[in-house]
Amino acid sequence: MDADKPGAMEIIELLVTSEIYNESKELTENDLPPRMREHYLDPASGTVARPMVVTVGDIEKIYGVDGVQTIARMLPFVEVEEPGGTVRLDPFDAGGTMVVQPGFV
């Protein structure tokens, strides 16, 4: 599986965390891991805006991962949008449908 490539778990961690943060309005910036919070924190308001959008540059800066686009394109259920390099998870329902199809594993 491609998730064992260096940098893959960091990409997945940030994408899943941002998805949960965006969907769970009761979470605050204090619920985010420190590196994410520091990166996304707006110093003027002291908050992390929703939606929390992840870009290739964010991943590179937060984790120091090189080759983010290449790694992300190898991961199932991850999309890199051009231009701008926005990285996001495919909708969960689409991923779930694929996993339950015979022969997926």
Side-chain angles (χ1 to χ4, degrees):
M1 180 174 180
D2 291 318
D4 60 355
K5 296 201 178 299
M9 292 306 293
E10 289 83 356
I11 294 169
I12 293 167
E13 176 188 38
L14 182 52
L15 293 174
V16 170
T17 301
S18 66
E19 182 75 21
I20 292 168
Y21 180 77
N22 290 339
E23 295 296 322
S24 302
K25 303 305 181 209
E26 52 283 338
L27 295 177
T28 71
E29 56 280 340
N30 294 324
D31 295 308
L32 295 170
R35 288 192 282 182
M36 289 180 207
R37 181 175 54 245
E38 291 169 15
H39 179 77
Y40 285 102
L41 191 71
D42 175 7
S45 68
T47 62
V48 173
R50 284 186 174 89
M52 195 169 120
V53 177
V54 177
T55 66
V56 169
D58 295 328
I59 297 166
E60 292 170 344
K61 188 166 184 177
I62 294 169
Y63 296 108
V65 174
D66 293 322
V68 170
Q69 286 187 339
T70 302
I71 298 166
R73 290 182 198 284
M74 287 189 255
L75 297 171
F77 315 120
V78 174
E79 289 184 18
V80 180
E81 297 178 0
E82 299 293 340
T86 301
V87 184
R88 65 180 190 86
L89 293 172
D90 284 335
F92 285 127
D93 56 340
T97 301
M98 179 184 258
V99 170
V100 297
Q101 290 178 358
F104 176 75
V105 178

